[in-house]
Amino acid sequence: MDLQIATVVYCLLVAALFLGLWRYYDRRDHARFEQERRHAAFHCVRCGHTYAVQGDHETAACPRCAHENARLKF
Ligand SMILES: [Zn+2]
């Protein structure tokens, strides 16, 4: 194989590798950011306390009375 063609193929492989790494880390960081940003709101049916929990939860315990409440839906 010609040296020039081999160099071009090598450069394309390196570029593809870095593009793949960039995509992987970008998606991972975006997923992590979304996870931190997302909050679920809850209203305690026992004591009336309104609170938020980080992450995507369907139920969470009240910080005041520890009663398990369902997530508020808007
Ligand atoms: Zn409560």
Side-chain angles (χ1 to χ4, degrees):
M1 193 165 30
D2 193 59
L3 183 67
Q4 205 171 4
I5 293 170
T7 308
V8 168
V9 168
Y10 175 76
C11 285
L12 285 175
L13 282 175
V14 169
L17 174 77
F18 278 99
L19 269 174
L21 284 173
W22 172 64
R23 251 179 80 95
Y24 168 74
Y25 283 107
D26 191 56
R27 280 169 169 241
R28 195 195 64 174
D29 289 349
H30 183 72
R32 200 175 279 173
F33 171 75
E34 281 293 313
Q35 185 86 31
E36 275 178 31
R37 194 180 66 99
R38 194 164 292 158
H39 285 78
F42 296 90
H43 181 254
C44 184
V45 291
R46 188 189 281 169
C47 70
H49 184 55
T50 305
Y51 56 101
V53 174
Q54 204 172 56
D56 214 7
H57 302 280
E58 283 306 311
T59 61
C62 174
R64 276 195 191 159
C65 66
H67 182 72
E68 197 78 20
N69 296 290
R71 179 185 186 157
L72 280 182
K73 293 199 165 80
F74 301 102

